[in-house]
Amino acid sequence: DIQMTQSPSSLSASVGDRVTITCRTSQSISSNLNWYHQKPGKAPNLLIYAASSLQSGVPSRFSGSGSGTDFTLTISSLQPEDIASYYCQQSYSAPYTFGQGTKLEIK
Amino acid sequence: EVQLVESGGGLVEPGGSLRLSCAASGFDFSKTWMTWVRQAPGKGLDWVGRIKSKNAGGTTDYAAPVKGRLSISRDDSKNTLYLQMNSLKTEDTAVYYCSSLSTWGGVIVLSYWGQGTLVTVSS
């Protein structure tokens, strides 16, 4: 199985800050990496797919990059509505494992 | 509009069984691969398993912790996905989400999600 290492597990930042979350996989997965966000009490939603493609309706302050084993989710200017937990997920091979998650809070 | 609605959650004793359902609408269910994901209270997301469409073989894959105890099936005539849960353990306590699998940009994604149903395993 492919192991996922996501960091940090929690992050506190101010409105307007640039925020970066990283995800590393135990083997190369090309660009088979997706990011989801989950607001408290709600189901997760797809944010970025294929490492860098923005899901329809997602603000352009979100971006993704990387390939192989190292990936990054960036929020260019943090907004209050971005408070959520963020998860990376690989779909290179089943089981489609998730990262441990990053809980993002406003400072 | 795509809708996924889970049902069947509840309280069950350790060693017991439960069957979850996921009613799908708004897309061609029979051609869509489907998956279950769970989330223990206060924890992250755990992939449970997936089922391919019948024209792709209808086969299933599972995460190691649930293999042999949880099984996924589908009834395309009812646009419904199932998760049969047997020999339940306290560590199976979680919200269970069903999700559709789509291929976007050449990559498999969990494209749409239900609202989840809570399963509590406790004596």
Side-chain angles (χ1 to χ4, degrees), chain B residues 29-30 51 54 73-82:
Chain B
F29 179 78
S30 67
I51 185 166
K54 291 248 181 345
S73 62
R74 62 191 301 155
D75 186 337
D76 291 343
S77 69
K78 296 182 179 179
N79 284 358
T80 302
L81 177 73
Y82 300 103

Side-chain angles (χ1 to χ4, degrees), chain B residues 32-47:
Chain B
T32 304
W33 297 17
M34 299 294 295
T35 189
W36 287 96
V37 174
R38 67 183 182 181
Q39 186 171 36
K43 303 296 184 182
L45 302 173
D46 281 324
W47 187 80

